Amino acid sequence: MHLFRKIRSIFHDDWCSQCYTDMEVRGKRLFMLPVMVDHYVHHDDAKYFMKNLIRVSKKKDIPTGYYACGIVSYKCPNCGEALVKLTVFLPVRDQEKDEDYIYFKNGELDTFLQNSDFKDR
């Protein structure tokens, strides 16, 4: 059973990589990334996102042709492991065309999210 839970945690963002338990969502937030279509370049550095992300309330607040970032913060109720998933996507009509997924496991975005009034939604 332990091996099955370990394999399962590899394929799901919301499962703890330490103890393989379902993680709880601490909060969600939507941002605009001021980059036009076809000009997005992958970045692993949290500082890039902290400098460039603009908080928005709804997808319709993002101008046509610009990328959006959805941020979800997770915490394991069992061992306390934390994870932040940043999804870069292009809002197209009523759909989201996912472009990139970046994971931060070392608290790189904690201060930024606190300053962005990051709360459970």
Side-chain angles (χ1 to χ4, degrees):
M1 185 69 159
H2 181 67
L3 178 61
F4 173 71
R5 292 176 71 196
K6 185 174 184 175
I7 292 170
R8 187 176 73 161
S9 71
I10 294 170
F11 297 103
H12 293 276
D13 304 327
D14 58 349
W15 290 340
C16 181
S17 63
Q18 300 299 312
C19 68
Y20 319 114
T21 304
D22 290 336
M23 297 178 90
E24 296 175 346
V25 175
R26 290 192 301 179
K28 295 180 181 182
R29 176 64 70 203
L30 179 65
F31 294 90
M32 181 185 100
L33 185 62
V35 176
M36 295 284 297
V37 175
D38 295 330
H39 290 93
Y40 174 74
V41 177
H42 175 82
H43 293 276
D44 284 325
D45 188 7
K47 291 178 185 176
Y48 169 81
F49 293 103
M50 290 188 282
K51 179 181 176 185
N52 291 293
L53 292 179
I54 300 166
R55 188 174 143 195
V56 294
S57 299
K58 302 174 236 124
K59 277 192 264 186
K60 70 179 184 177
D61 295 338
I62 300 169
T64 303
Y66 282 87
Y67 284 96
C69 286
I71 296 181
V72 180
S73 176
Y74 298 101
K75 186 164 187 169
C76 178
N78 198 30
C79 71
E81 180 77 9
L83 170 73
V84 173
K85 177 185 176 186
L86 188 145
T87 304
V88 179
F89 65 93
L90 187 62
V92 180
R93 295 185 181 93
D94 290 332
Q95 299 178 358
E96 298 175 4
K97 182 181 174 194
D98 292 346
E99 187 79 22
D100 203 359
Y101 302 98
I102 301 105
Y103 299 92
F104 298 100
K105 297 180 179 181
N106 299 315
E108 300 96 322
L109 292 176
D110 288 355
T111 304
F112 174 72
L113 295 175
Q114 289 172 357
N115 293 338
S116 298
D117 191 28
F118 195 78
K119 297 181 180 170
D120 291 336
R121 300 269 178 234

